[in-house]
Amino acid sequence: MSTVYLPLTDVSSGENLTETMVSEGLVSVRRESIRGESRLVELEEAARSQGKCPMNKLDSEGKVDKGNSEPFADEARFFTESRLLQRDLQVILETFNNNNFVGSIVHKKGNIAEALLREGFARCVDWSIATVTGGPEKLRTAEKVAKEKQLRLWQDYKPSSLSVRTDACLEEGTLAEKDKEFTGKVVEVVNGDALVVKRQDGTNKKIFLSSIRPPRQGEVDAPRLPGKNFRPLYDIPWLFEAREFLRKKLIGQKVQCSVDYIQPAQNNFPEKTCCTVRIGDVNVAEAMVSKGYATVIRYRQDDDQRASCYDDLLSAEAKASKSSKGLHNKKETPIHRVADLSSDVNKAKGFLPFLQRAGRTEAVVEFVASGSRVRLFIPRETCLITFLLAGISCPRPTRPAPGGVGGTITGEPYGEEAHAFTKNLVMQREVEIEVDSMDKGGNFIGWLHVEGKNLSVLLVEEGLSTVHFTAELSKFYQQLTSAQESAKSKNLNYWSTYVEEEKDEKPEDQVGERKVDLKPLVITAVTREGTLYGQYCSDGPALEQLMDKLRSEFASKPPLGGAYTPKKGDLCAAQFVDSQWYRAKVERVSGQNVTVRYVDYGNREVTQGIKCASLPAGFSSQPFYAHELRLALVKFSKDEDYVEDALAALMTEVENREVLANREYRANGADYVSLQRADNKADVAEVLLGQGLLLIDERKDKRFLSMLTTYRAAQESARRKHLNVWQYGDVTEDDAHEFGMER
């Protein structure tokens, strides 16, 4: 056996006659005699996929092999010969393939290719149709006519394109007419080929761009540095550029979506809705392909599930390839070296001074974990950070259980609403941040501005967060308190059950000496915001009598499970983990989960609706026995870590223990008290100041001069010993401006 080259004298540059005949479909490959990979097999597969006109193949003697001819080969040949042989024709050369010219032959009555397609003698070829003079529309239309009539090559054809139903009864593979075309706002870009679109009815829908493939990892992974995690967005060449192209063009913009096909679920991948997406007159997929940020998917000839503008995509890809753009540029591959500070506390500490001195820094929101916790990419520093909003206490949404053990942790009231609000406002948008400090986990704390507005203020304004005491010395404190008062007056979300209480006392309104009226008190609950709930011992008999009556009532008349439907703001009875019933106020209802606050004890709990019941008559008029209190003349540090330590120490000092309370003044809708332990008469605030866990909250009121003098002495002692908040020096004076400790 031998190989013949033309010309015979030049093997290195000559044409391999065997390969040429296989590529033209004139002969077939005997695969049983080939071991391993072979170029002949590749050429034969390419010839089959091109879908040319049916052809008569030759036998070993070079004659037509009638037994191996393709269906309708003789008819197609006769059709062409009868119209073109010995006729004057116009030949348009458009490209070449395997040393053969490829073009169009135009008879005086039209293009012969169009006639062959219309009669079902030929199929369209994707690789060359984009080069047809005048565009491929006429050829596609002619092929479509033959398909619909099931002529010749298409006699067994079954449409696979998406069908639309207008009635309410939808079958598998069909789509309601209203869902075939829709408009919406792009809220998220997923990788380089998928979008999340918010439709006009408020629902979000994930769609994929039809017939394109985004950049993906090569067959052989590039060597990675030891310990480095694989991050597709930054490690796959051109994927970051593709995502950024879509993000900058589409986020927050209105687009028109037309569903081309629905790809069924397969290989553990969910069902995909594939669409042609346009912004104005621009086809997004075509723009992506023309920039070299995506490639066009090749289909079988009988596969109609493709983009409606498939030929335009092929043409755009050909131009991008010719210009060596993006993925087609094999010489200049972009490399992104991005430092992930969220997983390295030491690196985060090193970056902290740079971010603090930089003032407002531009960033892109990559992920929203909760209403006040986001993941940011900072282009100037090429780093990823976890960022926490300063100055607010924001409820957390439902989240996965830690440790990867499965399951979820139930969210707090309005946590889901806060998460949705933040995500809708900042997801994948360009924002500005001001970094104040950092917690022990390497998370940066500061202020985030979107379109010139402070996100912390916006959350408080919507009643989705409350002002945290750490915001008191910040430059945004006035804005935050004004926003909170506005939310209270409108009873928004968190403040939906808020009732305006007596006005705060102003220092200038106070005259005379400080009044001391110590009352025994039992602290029953301490919140993570530093709010105390306590029961005055003088109310003990009345509370016991109330509870005895309530339990007796439920013992004689047990509630019927499910008979009561809890509503937000209701005063009801709730069954605690000890199986006893207590008075409770409904703060939130989410499906079967009900968040309640036990009004006589102050603690909160997420329970089930079936464990709630209507409060019997006569139990609603009695006052709540849990009083909301705060420590007077002191405040917490702005550093969240020290806040946690201070709260732990405060709970150790007072929780479930009798103390002596003296009401000092009223501010921010709460009573501010001084507390003494009943056993040793120690002032709780003074003890915590001496441990460096609290700071003095100066108040211009002559009544408190003696208390403030004692408190200052305790704080000075902690400062000299560098305890807790003072371990790095004075956080209230010189460090404030240079290091952003107090703003």
Side-chain angles (χ1 to χ4, degrees), residues 132-268:
V132 173
T133 303
E137 290 79 10
K138 291 184 179 180
L139 299 185
R140 293 288 188 191
T141 301
E143 184 184 54
K144 184 178 180 181
V145 170
K147 287 181 177 179
E148 292 174 349
K149 295 181 179 180
Q150 294 184 316
L151 298 177
R152 299 178 178 88
L153 292 175
W154 306 106
Q155 59 186 358
D156 297 325
Y157 170 75
K158 294 181 180 180
S160 57
S161 58
L162 185 68
S163 58
V164 179
R165 292 284 297 274
T166 58
D167 56 354
C169 182
L170 297 179
E171 300 174 357
E172 185 178 358
T174 65
L175 192 69
E177 186 175 16
K178 64 182 180 64
D179 295 327
K180 181 69 167 64
E181 294 185 0
F182 57 90
T183 60
K185 183 176 73 172
V186 179
V187 295
E188 185 179 354
V189 175
V190 186
N191 293 328
D193 67 335
L195 311 171
V196 177
V197 177
K198 186 175 184 179
R199 302 173 60 169
Q200 293 179 334
D201 59 4
T203 60
N204 287 348
K205 185 175 183 62
K206 184 177 181 180
I207 62 174
F208 291 79
L209 299 178
S210 299
S211 299
I212 68 168
R213 180 178 288 118
R216 57 182 181 177
Q217 187 70 0
E219 296 296 332
V220 180
D221 292 340
R224 302 175 193 167
L225 297 176
K228 181 182 177 183
N229 295 326
F230 177 64
R231 299 165 301 181
L233 182 62
Y234 307 105
D235 294 340
I236 295 179
W238 299 107
L239 184 56
F240 179 75
E241 285 74 15
R243 199 289 303 267
E244 283 296 278
F245 176 81
L246 291 176
R247 184 187 67 81
K248 292 178 179 179
K249 297 290 184 183
L250 300 182
I251 287 294
Q253 300 298 317
K254 184 178 179 181
V255 295
Q256 297 83 40
C257 306
S258 178
V259 179
D260 293 318
Y261 58 93
I262 295 179
Q263 183 175 314
Q266 56 183 348
N267 300 328
N268 295 325

Side-chain angles (χ1 to χ4, degrees), residues 490-538:
K490 298 176 182 177
N491 292 109
L492 295 176
N493 295 312
Y494 181 85
W495 305 105
S496 58
T497 58
Y498 170 74
V499 178
E500 187 174 0
E501 301 179 3
E502 58 182 294
K503 294 184 178 180
D504 298 341
E505 300 170 359
K506 297 181 180 180
E508 55 267 24
D509 296 336
Q510 305 301 317
V511 293
E513 298 296 325
R514 170 178 173 251
K515 296 179 181 180
V516 179
D517 183 16
L518 296 173
K519 295 181 179 181
L521 179 79
V522 176
I523 301 298
T524 56
V526 179
T527 70
R528 65 189 184 102
E529 291 82 16
T531 301
L532 309 173
Y533 285 93
Q535 300 169 340
Y536 286 106
C537 294
S538 58

Side-chain angles (χ1 to χ4, degrees), residues 299-563:
Y299 297 96
R300 301 189 314 272
Q301 291 297 320
D302 59 347
D303 190 353
D304 292 332
Q305 292 202 359
R306 58 182 71 187
S308 57
C309 56
Y310 187 72
D311 295 325
D312 294 334
L313 297 179
L314 291 173
S315 178
E317 184 181 49
K319 293 177 181 177
S321 178
K322 187 175 181 180
S323 303
S324 298
K325 292 183 178 180
L327 289 163
H328 308 287
N329 187 347
K330 304 301 181 182
K331 296 181 179 179
E332 299 178 6
T333 302
I335 299 175
H336 302 284
R337 294 182 174 88
V338 179
D340 190 351
L341 305 185
S342 61
S343 59
D344 194 324
V345 177
N346 292 327
K347 283 186 178 181
K349 288 181 179 179
F351 268 84
L352 179 60
F354 296 101
L355 296 177
Q356 287 176 329
R357 288 196 296 266
R360 288 203 178 191
T361 303
E362 293 183 354
V364 176
V365 179
E366 294 287 0
F367 179 72
V368 178
S370 69
S372 61
R373 186 185 187 94
V374 297
R375 184 172 172 86
L376 302 176
F377 172 68
I378 303 178
R380 188 174 68 180
E381 304 291 344
T382 60
C383 65
L384 290 166
I385 67 171
T386 299
F387 190 81
L388 310 180
L389 297 182
I392 62 173
S393 178
C394 185
R396 289 176 288 185
T398 300
R399 56 201 181 279
V405 296
T408 58
I409 299 176
T410 304
E412 299 172 351
Y414 302 105
E416 302 296 341
E417 291 85 345
H419 179 237
F421 179 83
T422 298
K423 187 173 182 179
N424 184 60
L425 202 60
V426 304
M427 181 64 181
Q428 291 188 338
R429 294 180 185 256
E430 296 173 359
V431 299
E432 291 182 324
I433 60 171
E434 296 178 80
V435 176
D436 280 356
S437 57
M438 186 185 74
D439 64 15
K440 291 180 180 179
N443 304 311
F444 295 90
I445 304 171
W447 310 93
L448 186 147
H449 305 271
V450 53
E451 296 180 355
K453 297 180 180 179
N454 189 319
L455 182 56
S456 297
V457 175
L458 293 176
L459 282 164
V460 173
E461 197 172 48
E462 292 294 322
L464 296 172
S465 294
T466 57
V467 179
H468 199 270
F469 40 79
T470 55
E472 293 178 358
L473 295 181
S474 74
K475 60 184 178 181
F476 300 107
Y477 182 63
Q478 184 61 41
Q479 295 182 42
L480 289 169
T481 53
S482 298
Q484 182 161 283
E485 290 303 318
S486 174
K488 284 182 179 180
S489 64
K490 298 176 182 177
N491 292 109
L492 295 176
N493 295 312
Y494 181 85
W495 305 105
S496 58
T497 58
Y498 170 74
V499 178
E500 187 174 0
E501 301 179 3
E502 58 182 294
K503 294 184 178 180
D504 298 341
E505 300 170 359
K506 297 181 180 180
E508 55 267 24
D509 296 336
Q510 305 301 317
V511 293
E513 298 296 325
R514 170 178 173 251
K515 296 179 181 180
V516 179
D517 183 16
L518 296 173
K519 295 181 179 181
L521 179 79
V522 176
I523 301 298
T524 56
V526 179
T527 70
R528 65 189 184 102
E529 291 82 16
T531 301
L532 309 173
Y533 285 93
Q535 300 169 340
Y536 286 106
C537 294
S538 58
D539 294 333
L543 178 59
E544 288 183 7
Q545 185 179 9
L546 172 70
M547 295 307 302
D548 289 341
K549 289 182 178 180
L550 184 63
R551 290 165 183 168
S552 176
E553 182 75 19
F554 276 103
S556 61
K557 299 177 182 179
L560 181 64

